[in-house]
Amino acid sequence: MGGTDSRSDTGTGDTDAGTGTGDTDAGTGTGTGSGDSRPGTAAGTGSGADPGPDGTSAPPALTTPRGRRPVVAALMLGMALAAIDGTIVSTAVPQIVGDLGGFTVFSWLFSGYLLAVTVTLPLYGKLSDTFGRKPVLIAGIVLFLIGSVLCAAAWNMAALIAFRVVQGLGGGALQGTVQTIAADLYPLRERPRIQAKLSTVWATASVAGPVAGGLLAGYADWRWIFLINLPVGAVALWLVVRHLHEPARPRPAARPRVDWAGALTVFATGTLLLTALVQGGVAWPWLSAPSLVLFGASAVLAALTVVVERRAAEPIIPGWVWRRRTIASVNLALGAMGLLMIAPTVFLPTYAQSVLGLGPIAAGFVLSVMTLSWPVSAALSDRVYNRIGFRLTAIIGMSAALLILLAFPFLPYPGEPWHPALLMLLLGAALGLFQLPLIVGVQSTVGWAERGTTTASVLFCRQVGQSIGAALFGAVANSVLAARLLDAPVTGLPDDLDAVTRALDDPGALSAAATDYLRRAVDAAVDHVYIGAAGAAALALLALITLAPRRFPVITETAAAPESAGAADRQDTPS
C-alpha cells in the first residue's frame, strides 16, 4: 500500500498471541498497533472511523455519535427495505395468485429476487471500492424503489417476476453497501453496536413482515406491500444524500476501469447455477436434461470467469479474496452457515405445522424466537472476542450450534411447541456469537479500498450456501419421505413434502392411522435435515480450524493511498 500498513492481532487475556505476522504487501507486515492492541481496536486511526482512501479519516461530523446518528438511521432503513421484502411478500401470495394467476411459477417471486441479489453482490462490492459507497448506495435505493413501483403496477405474474428481479438488483446494493458503510463509520471497538442494530432490523422484519403482508393483502390490496417501500426508501435516500459524507478522493492518475466482462460472466454463472439449484427437484428431476444442461453450462462459465478475472486489470472478484487465508476461511465458514440456516428457516415451520399441529402464525413464532437471541448475542460478542480473538469466539459459537442441531432429532414425538422454540433460542445465541465476530474480524483485516469487495464476497458465499442448502436439504427430506411412504400401512398417500404438508392441513380427509404415519414421516424427514445441518456446522468448524489464522491480522493504516491500496496480494499466517 502507499503508506505504512501494519496489522495488530494481539488480544488481551491470550498470552500466546504475541505479534501478528499476517500481511506483508508494500508496508510493514509485522508489528503491534499502538494503544489498545485488542482485536476490537484499530490502532493508529486517531478518530472514530477508519482512514479514508486518501489516508484521511472520515469527516469530523461522522466521528461523533451525533454526526453518525442520521447515517445509522439511513443504514437501518435501507437494510429494512431488503430485510422485510422477502417476508412481507410470502403471506400475500394467495391474494397475488388469485389476482394475477400463475400459480405454477409463483415461486419465482422469491427465486428471481434471490438470484438478482446474490449475483450482483460482487459487482456492487467492487464498484463501492472504486467509486465510493455513497453513489452505490444511492443507486441501490433508487433501483429498489423503481422495482417496487413496477411491482405494484404489474399486470400479470410474468411482469411481477421480472419487476422482482429489478428489486433484487437494488437489493444487492443495499445488503453489501450497508454492511460496508457500517464498518467504515465505526472503529473496531464500536462495530458490534452497529451490527447489533442491523441484526435487530432483520429480527424485526422476520416478525413484522408476515404480519404486515397479511394485513395489507387482507384489508387493503396486495399492491400496497410494494408501495409501502416508497416512504421508507425516500427517507433513507434523503438521509444518505444529506448526511453521508465520504472523505475526499484524490483524482486517480488513470480513469478507473470497470471489469464489465467479469461482471457479465459472474452474473451469468451465478444465474445458471442458482437456477439449477432452485428449480432442480421442483420444476424438473435432478438428473433430467434441464438440470444437467444448467449445471454443465455453469461449470463452463465458471471456468471462463476465472480466465476473464485473471486477465482483468481490476477484477470483480480479485484473486486475493481466496488467496488470503483469513478471507477464504470466513467465506467458507459463512457459506456453510448459510447452508445450515435452511434447516430452521425452511423446515422448522413445516415441522411445527405438520408434526406439532400448530397454525401458520404460531409456527412462525416458534422460529422467530431465534431472532430474539441472535442480536443480543451479537451485541455482547465483543466482550468475548476482545479477550480470546475472533477465530476462537466463532469456533465456540459454531460448536454450540453443532450440539444444538444434533439435539433436535432427540426431541420427543410429537412433543410440545416450547421444545423446538427453546432450541431455536439457543441456536440464535450461538449463531450470533459465530457470525458477527467473523464479519467484524474480516472487515478489520482490510483497508478502505478493499472493504467493499471483502464484505461482498462474504455475503455472496452466504447467499450461495443458502441456495445450495435449499436444494440439498429439500432432496434429503423428499428422499426420506419417499422411503417411509413405501412402507406406508395405507395406499394413496402423497409422495413428496409439499403434498404431505397439504394433506396434513386437512387431516379430516385422512384416517387417524394415516395422519399419524404422515406426521411421523415428516418428523423423520426434518430430523435428517437437522443432521445434515449439523454436518454443515462441522464444515464451518473445519474451515476455521484448518484455514483461519489463530489471530486475525487486524490492519492499522496511517497513510493509505487509494490507488495502491490492496494492489498486492497478501498471505495471512497464524501467529
Side-chain angles (χ1 to χ4, degrees):
M1 298 175 70
T4 302
D5 180 1
S6 62
R7 293 178 177 261
S8 168
D9 54 53
T10 60
T12 61
D14 193 335
T15 57
D16 64 353
T19 303
T21 59
D23 289 353
T24 57
D25 30 350
T28 304
T30 305
T32 58
S34 59
D36 191 343
S37 61
R38 296 174 301 166
T41 301
T45 61
S47 69
D50 285 311
D54 58 350
T56 64
S57 297
L62 296 183
T63 65
T64 63
R66 174 176 293 183
R68 289 193 296 245
R69 283 172 190 158
V71 181
V72 171
L75 297 183
M76 294 180 70
L77 289 173
M79 186 63 79
L81 288 174
I84 203 171
D85 192 71
T87 57
I88 198 173
V89 174
S90 61
T91 51
V93 166
Q95 289 77 13
I96 294 174
V97 171
D99 188 13
L100 302 180
F103 178 80
T104 57
V105 295
F106 84 86
S107 63
W108 275 99
L109 290 176
F110 309 97
S111 300
Y113 180 84
L114 174 65
L115 286 171
V117 168
T118 303
V119 300
T120 55
L121 277 169
L123 173 62
Y124 287 129
K126 185 62 179 180
L127 291 177
S128 72
D129 284 343
T130 304
F131 299 104
R133 326 293 193 213
K134 185 174 182 177
V136 174
L137 182 57
I138 290 174
I141 295 175
V142 170
L143 196 55
F144 189 92
L145 295 182
I146 291 174
S148 297
V149 172
L150 292 174
C151 285
W155 54 90
N156 58 33
M157 185 62 75
L160 183 57
I161 291 171
F163 298 148
R164 284 282 288 168
V165 172
V166 175
Q167 264 194 317
L169 296 177
L174 288 173
Q175 288 196 25
T177 311
V178 164
Q179 293 278 5
T180 304
I181 294 174
D184 291 339
L185 286 178
Y186 285 83
L188 279 126
R189 186 183 302 176
E190 299 180 37
R191 282 178 193 163
R193 184 186 309 171
I194 179 62
Q195 290 290 348
K197 290 179 180 179
L198 296 178
S199 297
T200 302
V201 170
W202 283 97
T204 304
S206 68
V207 177
V211 175
L215 291 175
L216 289 173
Y219 296 98
D221 188 274
W222 64 264
R223 299 178 191 273
W224 280 101
I225 68 177
F226 299 108
L227 294 176
I228 199 175
N229 293 329
L230 300 184
V232 177
V235 174
L237 188 61
W238 180 81
L239 289 172
V240 170
V241 172
R242 178 69 178 82
H243 294 284
L244 179 57
H245 306 290
E246 294 189 280
R249 296 173 59 83
R251 187 180 299 275
R255 183 178 179 181
R257 300 175 60 184
V258 179
D259 178 24
W260 293 115
L264 180 61
T265 56
V266 169
F267 190 91
T269 303
T271 299
L272 291 182
L273 176 60
L274 293 179
T275 300
L277 292 172
V278 169
Q279 294 299 299
V282 179
W284 49 71
W286 282 110
L287 297 180
S288 65
S291 283
L292 296 178
V293 169
L294 285 172
F295 280 119
S298 301
V300 172
L301 283 174
L304 179 61
T305 300
V306 173
V307 174
V308 171
E309 293 296 83
R310 283 183 174 179
R311 295 180 178 179
E314 294 290 337
I316 296 296
I317 304 179
W320 52 260
V321 167
W322 293 105
R323 284 196 291 268
R324 298 183 196 172
R325 289 177 55 191
T326 304
I327 302 175
S329 61
V330 172
N331 283 342
L332 294 174
L334 286 183
M337 191 201 80
L339 193 151
L340 74 85
M341 281 299 297
I342 293 299
T345 58
V346 175
F347 289 93
L348 183 63
T350 298
Y351 172 87
Q353 293 182 67
S354 299
V355 178
L356 301 182
L358 301 178
I361 296 178
F365 279 113
V366 171
L367 172 62
S368 67
V369 296
M370 182 174 68
T371 65
L372 301 179
S373 58
W374 192 316
V376 174
S377 173
L380 299 176
S381 64
D382 65 316
R383 302 187 182 185
V384 181
Y385 68 66
N386 280 336
R387 291 181 176 274
I388 64 176
F390 297 111
R391 173 179 175 267
L392 187 53
T393 302
I395 288 175
I396 292 174
M398 188 51 74
S399 298
L402 173 61
L403 296 177
I404 294 165
L405 292 167
L406 287 176
F408 189 91
F410 293 97
L411 293 179
Y413 172 85
E416 299 293 333
W418 68 265
H419 293 157
L422 176 60
L423 289 185
M424 292 306 99
L425 189 71
L426 297 174
L427 183 63
L431 294 178
L433 199 62
F434 168 80
Q435 177 178 263
L436 187 135
L438 290 184
I439 291 179
V440 171
V442 77
Q443 287 179 330
S444 305
T445 64
V446 294
W448 187 98
E450 296 177 341
R451 192 170 290 141
T453 299
T454 300
T455 303
S457 73
V458 169
L459 298 179
F460 175 77
C461 289
R462 188 179 65 185
Q463 293 283 86
V464 171
Q466 289 178 340
S467 299
I468 295 174
L472 177 63
F473 293 146
V476 169
N478 280 321
S479 65
V480 172
L481 274 177
R484 293 300 177 98
L485 294 176
L486 284 176
D487 300 324
V490 293
T491 60
L493 294 178
D495 58 358
D496 64 73
L497 185 59
D498 289 337
V500 168
T501 302
R502 289 193 297 268
L504 290 174
D505 285 340
D506 185 20
L510 301 170
S511 65
T515 299
D516 182 70
Y517 192 86
L518 287 181
R519 292 189 189 280
R520 289 183 180 275
V522 173
D523 180 56
V526 177
D527 285 348
H528 280 76
V529 167
Y530 270 81
I531 293 173
L539 292 177
L541 287 174
L542 184 65
L544 292 178
I545 293 171
T546 60
L547 292 179
R550 292 175 57 200
R551 308 292 294 179
F552 278 27
V554 176
I555 197 170
T556 301
E557 295 176 332
T558 56
E563 63 271 14
S564 61
D569 289 323
R570 294 170 288 184
Q571 177 68 38
D572 294 331
T573 57
S575 57

